[in-house]
């Protein structure tokens, strides 16, 4: 029954593709060498990423049969993603290593290993300040967990002893979201050590400081500023109940901004300077003091995510062996490089930065160098915007890590900041000058320290659409090229040098595991994305995700989906090639081909303006012209006529490769969803010549290649 249904769908797609929707679209390609655009090598520009996976999955994924199928997609260079940073965890990239003190401390993996490194793990941080995170989201804040013996502590590497800057240049903060506006006039803080000798209690004047940081500002409560020698027992730590003013205010978000530390030592070893700088809070509550002087706490204190939601500017990386996660793992460097998945090319690797130490980063690079692992680029941490870190604080960490890494190897190409999926400039709370651009302020911070040269590339992630099945898919496909062009232009406008490479180091059509990626629309999007990125001046992009992963429920979307180019079974074996697999093959084996060869983008114009058609011509290393054509129209075919400089056309026969609904249909059946048919691209010879017309089937990718 299923086979008959699929064949009917296939036959219908063929019939539909036989009828062009409109008069031919004229595509003019400028072949004048003086007008040529950017050059790129497909193996470096069209890559894929490997990431953290569920516990036990590494062994199933990195099997020879899987690797062969993964390589078949044609992706080139590999980017190693760092899932632990998203989960507010430190990454033990080498299980062999040592803590800074007995029973715990700051971890440093060893620069050598007695056995190949296969499985590696993240470690939760017991001094965490965020209720939620962007990863597994399975921990909670110690700011309001109901236990004053536990405490949040800021990252010591943001203190003057490590940055060289005055502490006021890197104020640390905690933010309490009451969930709705409340009538409040007091805050109660149980300080741990080190405590804040100077701080201010503030409220947000806008709607939402986390997701709408440019509409509003933090304002001090009338009696919310505390300096040395005032504020009850603040001079010695302990619990402070601070009346914020005579009139209760309707407030949802309350921030405590700390700008001078007591520099007293926390509950760990006083012999380690990192334990004696920054700020620490055991418990915090926001509420009201009534007429009788009794404090009524509106904060929910719980050792779970049922607590009142809190955020923190940073978190101390101190932890112990008992904090290891048990449901997630990162593939070890040795299993990745030994598998062959990197093709022997240099890989982009991360160093843990937000929740680690410079010494751990140096040991990682030393290990990779000693074991002969080729690396091209080094990303510093991952997704600082998703961890709510200010650009100045990220820059302070970046410079410390860069100094240590370049001290080991001056030739390392370091970069970041690895923004989470973005469609434009990343905004943050305004600084004293009113500047809200995260990137501008990060670049300014590097420049202020005379260290702009430490940034060798700029990186971010790209998940443009919250696609749920077919909802808005047509509109999304039409929007994507402009989104890519806009975001690259926005970061250049922020001050990135014209010759600084921009990489999108993790990408797919949607931030959700939706079936949009498995349909032909997912393939169209991927081809259009790479054409748009390279045309906009991007240096390359790394598809997510390379590994064969089973379908999962697409929460919050209905149905089941995945991110991958290959569908995996329960044992992570690759069982089916998906739509984006075929798109990648066309990009790397039909459009821009040849290991190490360079392609040159050519200027192109479309007339009349046809939003349904995308055209990306290149002059290949063999002298032929190869044109990637995308029909974004999910319903109708289109005809195109290609014109070249001087009225030339393709000479003689043209190689035409196409992929669309005639070759591939995604059949929705819950967790048993599959592609049928799943034939892959079809290549035929067609006639060229001046004025030749080519039909682009509905929802399809085409590559035309030949001589002029």
């Amino acid at each position: 029954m299923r086979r008959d249904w699929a064949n009917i769908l296939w036959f219908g797609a063929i019939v539909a593709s036989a009828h062009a929707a409109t008069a031919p679209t004229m595509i003019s390609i400028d072949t004048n060498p003086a007008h040529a655009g950017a050059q790129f090598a497909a193996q470096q520009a069209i890559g894929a990423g490997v990431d953290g996976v569920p516990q036990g999955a590494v062994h199933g994924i990195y099997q020879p049969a899987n690797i062969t199928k993964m390589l078949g997609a044609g992706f080139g260079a590999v980017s190693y993603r760092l899932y632990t940073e998203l989960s507010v965890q430190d990454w033990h990239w080498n299980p062999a290593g040592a803590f800074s003190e007995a029973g715990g401390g700051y971890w440093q993996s060893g620069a050598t290993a007695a056995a190949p490194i296969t499985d590696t793990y993240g470690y939760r941080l017991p001094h965490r300040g965020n209720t939620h995170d962007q990863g597994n989201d399975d921990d909670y804040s110690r700011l309001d967990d109901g236990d004053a013996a536990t405490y949040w502590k800021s990252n010591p590497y943001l203190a003057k002893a490590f940055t060289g800057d005055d502490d006021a240049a890197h104020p640390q903060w905690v933010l309490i979201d009451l969930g709705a506006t409340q009538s409040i006039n007091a805050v109660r803080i149980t300080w741990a050590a080190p405590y804040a000798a100077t701080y201010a209690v503030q409220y947000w004047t806008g709607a939402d400081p986390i997701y709408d940081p440019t509409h509003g500002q933090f304002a001090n409560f009338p009696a919310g500023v505390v300096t040395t020698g005032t504020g009850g027992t603040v001079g010695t730590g302990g619990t402070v109940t601070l009346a914020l003013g005579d009139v209760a205010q309707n407030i949802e978000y309350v921030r405590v901004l700390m700008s001078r530390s007591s520099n007293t030592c926390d509950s760990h070893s006083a012999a380690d300077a990192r334990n004696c700088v920054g700020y620490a809070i055991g418990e915090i509550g926001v509420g009201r003091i009534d007429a009788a002087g009794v404090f009524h706490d509106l904060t929910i204190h719980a050792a779970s995510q049922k607590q009142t939601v809190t955020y923190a500017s940073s978190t101390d990386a101190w932890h112990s062996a008992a904090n290891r996660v048990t449901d997630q793992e990162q593939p070890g460097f040795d299993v990745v490089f030994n598998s062959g998945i990197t093709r022997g090319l240099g890989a982009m690797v991360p160093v843990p930065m937000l929740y680690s130490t410079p010494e751990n980063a140096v040991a990682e690079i030393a290990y990779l160098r000693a074991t002969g692992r080729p690396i091209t680029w080094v990303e510093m941490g991952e997704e600082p915007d998703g961890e709510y870190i200010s650009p100045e604080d990220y820059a302070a960490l970046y410079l410390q890590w860069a100094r240590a890494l370049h001290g080991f190897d001056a030739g390392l190409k370091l970069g970041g900041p690895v923004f989470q999926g973005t469609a434009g400039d990343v905004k943050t709370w305004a600084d004293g000058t009113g500047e809200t651009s995260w990137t501008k302020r990060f670049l300014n911070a590097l420049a202020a320290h005379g260290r702009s040269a430490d940034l060798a590339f700029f990186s971010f992630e790209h998940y443009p659409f919250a696609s749920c099945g077919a909802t808005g898919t047509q509109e999304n496909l039409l929007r994507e090229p402009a989104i890519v062009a806009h975001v690259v232009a926005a970061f250049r406008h922020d001050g990135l040098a014209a010759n600084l490479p921009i990489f999108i180091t993790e990408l797919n059509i949607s931030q959700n595991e939706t079936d949009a990626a498995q349909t032909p629309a997912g393939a169209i999007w991927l081809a259009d994305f790479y054409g748009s990125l390279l045309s906009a001046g991007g240096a390359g992009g790394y598809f997510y995700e390379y590994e064969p992963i089973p379908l999962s429920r697409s929460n919050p979307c209905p149905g089941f989906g995945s991110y991958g180019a290959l569908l995996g079974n329960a044992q992570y074996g690759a069982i089916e090639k998906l739509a984006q697999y075929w798109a990648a093959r066309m990009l790397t084996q039909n459009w821009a081909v040849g290991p190490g060869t360079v392609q040159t983008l050519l200027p192109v114009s479309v007339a009349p303006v046809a939003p349904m058609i995308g055209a990306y011509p290149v002059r290949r290393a063999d002298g032929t012209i190869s044109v990637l054509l995308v029909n974004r129209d999910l319903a109708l075919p289109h005809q195109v006529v290609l014109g070249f400089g001087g009225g030339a056309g393709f000479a003689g026969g043209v190689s035409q490769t196409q992929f669309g609904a005639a070759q591939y249909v995604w059949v929705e059946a819950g967790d048993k969803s599959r592609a049928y048919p799943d034939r892959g691209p079809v290549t035929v010879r067609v006639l060229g010549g001046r004025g030749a017309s080519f039909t682009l089937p509905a929802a399809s990718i085409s590559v035309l290649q030949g001589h002029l």
Side-chain angles (χ1 to χ4, degrees):
M1 180 66 71
R2 180 183 171 201
R3 177 180 296 271
D4 292 340
W5 177 31
N7 280 332
I8 290 170
L9 291 173
W10 176 44
F11 178 77
I14 292 175
V15 172
S17 69
H19 302 283
T22 61
T25 297
M26 305 302 295
I27 297 176
S28 300
I29 299 170
D30 186 347
T31 57
N32 186 335
H35 301 159
Q39 294 185 322
F40 67 95
Q43 282 201 329
Q44 297 298 332
I46 304 174
V50 299
D51 204 344
V53 293
Q55 169 67 31
V58 166
H59 177 75
I61 290 170
Y62 290 90
Q63 294 293 320
N66 268 358
I67 299 300
T68 298
K69 292 178 181 178
M70 292 162 71
L71 292 172
F75 291 115
V78 163
S79 171
Y80 189 112
R81 316 310 301 144
L82 190 55
Y83 191 76
T84 53
E85 298 266 280
L86 281 63
S87 299
V88 192
Q89 298 169 6
D90 190 14
W91 178 38
H92 293 203
W93 61 265
N94 183 353
F99 288 104
S100 58
E101 56 191 87
Y106 299 92
W107 172 262
Q108 181 175 329
S109 288
T112 60
I117 302 173
T118 55
D119 305 298
T120 65
Y121 297 93
Y123 286 69
R124 296 186 181 91
L125 304 180
H127 301 316
R128 171 181 170 132
N130 292 332
T131 297
H132 296 290
D133 61 58
Q134 305 290 331
N136 276 8
D137 197 22
D138 56 4
D139 204 359
Y140 54 88
S141 170
R142 303 321 189 259
L143 284 164
D144 56 346
D145 65 347
D147 184 354
T150 65
Y151 55 91
W152 161 79
K153 183 170 177 285
S154 64
N155 188 334
Y157 289 98
L158 294 172
K160 181 179 181 180
F162 295 94
T163 65
D165 302 328
D166 190 272
D167 280 349
H170 298 283
Q172 298 300 288
W173 51 264
V174 297
L175 178 68
I176 301 93
D177 176 6
L178 294 171
T181 57
Q182 304 275 5
S183 179
I184 65 171
N185 64 6
V187 63
R188 173 170 289 174
I189 305 173
T190 299
W191 290 102
Y195 53 86
T198 300
Y199 64 96
V201 183
Q202 305 171 318
Y203 61 93
W204 179 252
T205 63
D208 190 326
I210 297 298
Y211 298 104
D212 188 14
T214 62
H215 293 90
Q217 60 185 349
F218 285 103
N220 294 335
F221 281 96
V225 178
V226 176
T227 58
T228 302
T230 64
T233 59
V234 72
T236 58
T239 298
V240 175
T241 302
L242 184 65
L244 300 173
D246 295 334
V247 180
Q249 302 194 40
N250 290 322
I251 299 297
E252 180 175 354
Y253 297 94
V254 176
R255 184 175 78 164
V256 180
L257 185 71
M258 296 156 275
S259 56
R260 188 166 65 88
S261 171
S262 66
N263 293 322
T264 49
C265 299
D266 64 19
S267 59
H268 308 304
S269 172
D272 191 329
R274 291 170 290 192
N275 296 327
C276 305
V277 293
Y279 309 92
I281 295 175
E283 206 74 10
I284 191 167
V286 176
R288 298 187 60 194
I289 296 175
D290 64 18
V294 177
F295 176 71
H296 298 273
D297 194 353
L298 298 174
T299 308
I300 299 171
H301 299 261
S304 71
Q305 292 187 346
K306 294 181 179 180
Q307 64 188 194
T308 293
V309 173
T310 69
Y311 304 86
S313 54
S314 68
T315 292
D316 190 5
W318 195 104
H319 61 283
S320 71
N323 298 125
R324 202 196 91 174
V325 300
T326 58
D327 59 352
Q328 194 80 17
E329 60 185 349
Q330 295 265 158
F333 283 130
D334 290 329
V335 75
V336 172
F337 282 96
N338 289 345
S339 70
I341 197 66
T342 65
R343 299 183 186 271
L345 303 170
M348 178 180 286
V349 298
V351 294
M353 190 178 77
L354 305 183
Y355 309 110
S356 188
T357 70
E359 295 78 15
N360 194 33
V362 171
E364 176 191 326
I365 301 303
Y367 180 82
L368 292 171
R369 291 293 195 218
T371 53
R373 311 305 190 190
I375 56 177
T376 48
W377 314 92
V378 179
E379 278 192 309
M380 311 286 267
E382 186 152 333
E383 301 188 22
D385 53 330
E387 304 303 315
Y388 317 112
I389 293 174
S390 77
E392 290 78 17
D393 285 2
Y394 178 82
L397 297 177
Y398 189 100
L399 293 176
Q400 292 175 68
W401 265 245
R403 184 180 297 110
L405 288 165
H406 281 152
F408 171 75
D409 182 345
L412 286 172
K413 296 179 180 179
L414 313 178
V418 209
F419 287 136
Q420 62 183 355
T422 177
D425 196 11
V426 174
K427 298 296 186 179
T428 188
W429 302 325
D431 63 7
T433 69
E435 182 59 69
T436 60
S437 169
W438 201 105
T439 302
K440 280 186 182 179
R441 286 169 49 183
F442 168 59
L443 296 174
N444 289 342
L446 296 184
H449 288 81
R451 301 278 298 282
S452 297
D454 281 318
L455 184 71
F457 68 95
F458 190 85
S459 65
F460 59 97
E461 301 177 2
H462 184 63
Y463 294 95
F465 308 118
S467 298
C468 289
T471 304
T473 299
Q474 180 72 83
E475 292 77 9
N476 291 342
L477 292 177
L478 296 176
R479 293 169 55 207
E480 174 65 0
I483 291 174
V484 172
H486 168 74
V487 70
V488 171
F491 290 134
R492 292 290 186 205
H493 182 264
D494 285 338
L496 294 180
N499 62 348
L500 189 78
I502 293 178
F503 289 102
I504 297 184
T505 50
E506 192 176 311
L507 61 98
N508 211 315
I509 186 172
S510 173
Q511 63 191 9
N512 301 313
E513 292 178 297
T514 143
D515 62 1
Q518 282 80 64
T519 67
I524 295 167
W525 175 87
L526 187 67
D528 219 1
F529 163 81
Y530 274 110
S532 299
L533 174 66
L534 296 170
S535 298
Y542 296 84
F543 171 80
Y544 182 83
E545 61 190 343
Y546 215 158
E547 305 94 334
I549 302 295
L551 294 176
S552 60
R553 188 171 294 279
S554 305
N555 186 40
C557 301
F560 285 74
S562 175
Y563 292 112
L566 289 164
L567 180 61
N569 59 21
Q571 292 74 43
Y572 302 96
I575 59 174
E576 185 168 332
K577 300 177 178 72
L578 300 177
Q580 292 178 324
Y581 176 97
W582 299 119
R585 279 182 66 97
M586 290 186 66
L587 289 169
T588 59
Q589 298 179 33
N590 300 109
W591 179 52
V593 301
T597 61
V598 173
Q599 336 292 328
T600 303
L601 285 161
L602 302 177
V604 62
S605 61
V606 178
V609 175
M612 292 295 182
I613 306 300
Y616 307 99
V618 297
R619 187 189 300 278
R620 300 200 321 196
D622 61 7
T624 61
I625 303 297
S626 182
V627 186
L628 172 65
L629 296 163
V630 178
N631 182 4
R632 307 176 187 116
D633 194 327
L634 298 179
L636 296 171
H638 289 257
Q639 283 186 310
V640 298
V641 175
L642 273 58
F644 301 89
F650 277 122
V654 177
S655 173
Q656 174 184 279
T657 303
Q658 293 187 323
F659 174 77
Q663 292 78 40
Y664 179 99
V665 175
W666 182 251
V667 181
E668 176 62 48
D671 61 355
K672 301 296 190 298
S673 299
R674 295 291 185 272
Y676 195 89
D678 192 3
R679 291 181 170 85
V682 173
T683 300
V684 298
R685 297 291 291 181
V686 296
L687 290 177
R690 296 181 182 181
S693 177
F694 304 92
T695 300
L696 309 183
S700 68
I701 309 167
S702 300
V703 173
L704 300 175
Q705 183 261 329
H707 293 275
L708 297 187

